[in-house]
Amino acid sequence: MNEPDDEWCGELFVSVAADGCAGIGSAWFNKEQLREFATALTAFPLSADNPVRLDGSLGGNDQTPPQTTIDLTLEPFDVRGAVRVTAKLESTVWQNADRELPKTVSTRFQVLTRKVVVQ
């Protein structure tokens, strides 16, 4: 694991396993991005028009787009509040994707939810 540039950001690791499809990815986020993502997850039900998304990318320049290493999308699945999660993870490419052969995992699964009232 790499050390953060400052006290306001850190590397988030995501692992996923669903029906024989599994992978691990990581990306750097600042604290505010993660707070906004966590707050958006508390909505019940989630908005069909505005899915909750966390996207972590690195690198990129005028000739090369950034590499997305974590892409999570959570959206409504049914009228009872179940959530569909789409997870796309990719290993980091440091120099050349053709030589490094990045590993990619993409899967979708359902999460059963219920509204929790905190008093």
Side-chain angles (χ1 to χ4, degrees):
M1 174 156 96
N2 297 321
E3 292 299 318
D5 291 336
D6 58 40
E7 64 186 89
W8 305 111
C9 67
E11 188 174 19
L12 176 70
F13 289 84
V14 174
S15 64
V16 64
D19 295 328
C21 181
I24 298 172
S26 70
W28 288 86
F29 296 94
N30 67 49
K31 289 180 182 180
E32 191 56 35
Q33 287 175 289
L34 295 178
R35 278 192 195 102
E36 289 173 7
F37 178 68
T39 299
L41 290 176
T42 65
F44 186 88
L46 294 179
S47 169
D49 297 329
N50 190 20
V52 178
R53 188 148 186 243
L54 182 66
D55 169 327
S57 302
L58 59 94
N61 56 38
D62 293 339
Q63 292 126 8
T64 307
Q67 179 196 10
T68 300
T69 55
I70 291 178
D71 186 353
L72 303 175
T73 304
L74 292 85
E75 56 196 332
F77 184 71
D78 63 22
V79 296
R80 294 179 290 160
V83 174
R84 176 178 38 236
V85 178
T86 303
K88 298 174 185 174
L89 308 175
E90 185 170 308
S91 60
T92 302
V93 173
W94 294 109
Q95 292 183 7
N96 184 317
D98 292 332
R99 297 181 74 86
E100 294 179 42
L101 302 174
K103 306 338 175 244
T104 303
V105 171
S106 180
T107 188
R108 292 168 56 171
F109 54 92
Q110 175 184 346
V111 177
L112 301 176
T113 61
R114 63 185 171 140
K115 185 172 183 174
V116 176
V117 177
V118 179
Q119 297 183 13

